[in-house]
Amino acid sequence: MNNGNRPSVIERKHKISAFRFLLIPLCAFLLTAPFVAPSYLTFQLTGVLAYAVAAIGLNLITGYAGQISLGHNAFFALGAYTAALSMGYWHLHYALSILLAALVSFAVGLLAGFPAQRLRGLYLALITLVLAVSVSPFIKHFKEYTGGMSGLPIERPIAPKWTGLTQDGWVYYVVLGFAFLCFYLARNFVAGSTGRALTAVRQAPLAALSMGVDVNQYKVLIFGLGSMLGGVGGALFNLSIGFIAPDSFTLLLSVSFLAAIVVGGLGTIWGALIAGLFLQFVPSYASDISEALAGAVYGGILIACMFFMPKGIIGTITSAGHNKT
């Protein structure tokens, strides 16, 4: 018998079995994509993985901790420019530049998370909105370092000869490796006592506080970790396109991140992969349908997803798998 809203062991097993038939072919495809997919699709999938890593971070903040953040584009940009500048000026290896982007984004995310101790809902969204609208002008202001409106070219990793891969194929596997690590760490982070504490912080902060959960500490920590993943996603995005410009990090990107994790499924790790697919493909498909009405088509797709799948795609799949049992 299930007590309260917490899923029982049997329910969790049903959810795992519902995913298993999807995850095996998905993982097989991701591991072999450069060999079985066209080069342009491989390039697009690299972008999907980069977006998905950043989406994990926002899902931690919003889906698990219940904090609405509209400033995720700022951390995506922070990680991207940290990696780009460290490779361009300090000649760091691309792997080290990604780690540096993670550290810088985590530190800034902790600072940005302090308002979350006392604010929530729309009030917190307004504070993070300041980050969202200021990041692009800030980048343009320091044009002697960032390239301003012209942007910066980035040297993409070259495939070692022994791999036999093209440059796009090698970049894909580099991004896939970092994405797998981020998914693995995030999944373990929310699977144990930390995940239960975050659920308590989201649903009943006063009750969590009375049970000994340091609510303020968790709110700040989750902002730091979510921002760190946003920064890592931005750094990986650099490798996928080989160019960076401030117009790629507008407020629209932040709103798109929020919409994408809702479509993928709030409070789900695998929903971030759906979010990455949504961010990579839906805008371009909307433009293909009608370039003049791309925004309307994009919004219509989003509304349709919310109407038919209010729990998001992953939430709907898990619910269907449970109902069948």
Side-chain angles (χ1 to χ4, degrees), residues 18-303:
F19 274 120
R20 191 167 293 164
F21 77 99
L22 292 174
L23 289 180
I24 293 176
L26 174 62
C27 291
F29 174 73
L30 289 176
L31 288 173
T32 59
F35 299 100
V36 299
S39 59
Y40 187 70
L41 180 57
T42 301
F43 169 77
Q44 289 179 312
L45 290 175
T46 307
V48 168
L49 294 172
Y51 280 133
V53 170
I56 298 174
L58 186 58
N59 218 338
L60 288 178
I61 296 172
T62 302
Y64 284 92
Q67 305 295 316
I68 300 177
S69 173
L70 293 176
H72 209 57
N73 65 320
F75 298 103
F76 195 75
L78 179 62
Y81 273 95
T82 298
L85 294 176
S86 64
M87 286 190 292
Y89 289 99
W90 299 341
H91 305 290
L92 283 184
H93 189 271
Y94 59 84
L96 293 178
S97 72
I98 293 172
L99 296 178
L100 179 61
L103 292 175
V104 172
S105 301
F106 178 71
V108 176
L110 287 179
L111 295 176
F114 278 102
Q117 295 184 19
R118 299 189 177 276
L119 300 175
R120 61 180 304 167
L122 294 177
Y123 297 100
L124 181 61
L126 289 174
I127 295 296
T128 57
L129 181 62
V130 175
L131 290 172
V133 299
S134 61
V135 59
S136 185
F138 183 84
I139 293 170
K140 295 175 184 177
H141 179 73
F142 293 96
K143 59 182 180 180
E144 63 271 20
Y145 301 105
T146 64
M149 287 288 296
S150 301
L152 287 175
I154 300 167
E155 186 176 353
R156 304 176 73 209
I158 299 176
K161 293 182 179 180
W162 57 267
T163 63
L165 293 169
T166 63
Q167 186 177 38
D168 284 338
W170 176 250
V171 171
Y172 171 82
Y173 279 119
V174 170
V175 175
L176 178 64
F178 276 98
F180 174 81
L181 179 63
C182 291
F183 269 86
Y184 177 77
L185 294 177
R187 179 67 184 87
N188 287 344
F189 181 77
V190 301
S193 59
T194 303
R196 292 191 291 272
L198 289 174
T199 301
V201 169
R202 181 183 72 246
Q203 296 181 348
L206 293 179
L209 188 63
S210 66
M211 296 177 64
V213 176
D214 193 334
V215 174
N216 289 337
Q217 180 179 344
Y218 271 100
K219 287 181 177 180
V220 174
L221 176 63
I222 206 65
F223 246 91
L225 293 175
S227 302
M228 179 187 72
L229 290 172
V232 172
L236 295 175
F237 188 73
N238 283 354
L239 301 183
S240 68
I241 62 174
F243 182 79
I244 186 172
D247 288 341
S248 301
F249 309 104
T250 61
L251 174 61
L252 179 60
L253 176 63
S254 198
V255 175
S256 298
F257 268 123
L258 191 59
I261 64 169
V262 173
V263 170
L266 287 174
T268 63
I269 294 299
W270 286 104
L273 187 58
I274 303 297
L277 290 167
F278 184 90
L279 288 164
Q280 179 68 38
F281 291 108
V282 171
S284 61
Y285 286 163
S287 298
D288 292 339
I289 294 173
S290 175
E291 188 172 352
L293 299 175
V297 174
Y298 181 88
I301 295 173
L302 179 61
I303 292 172

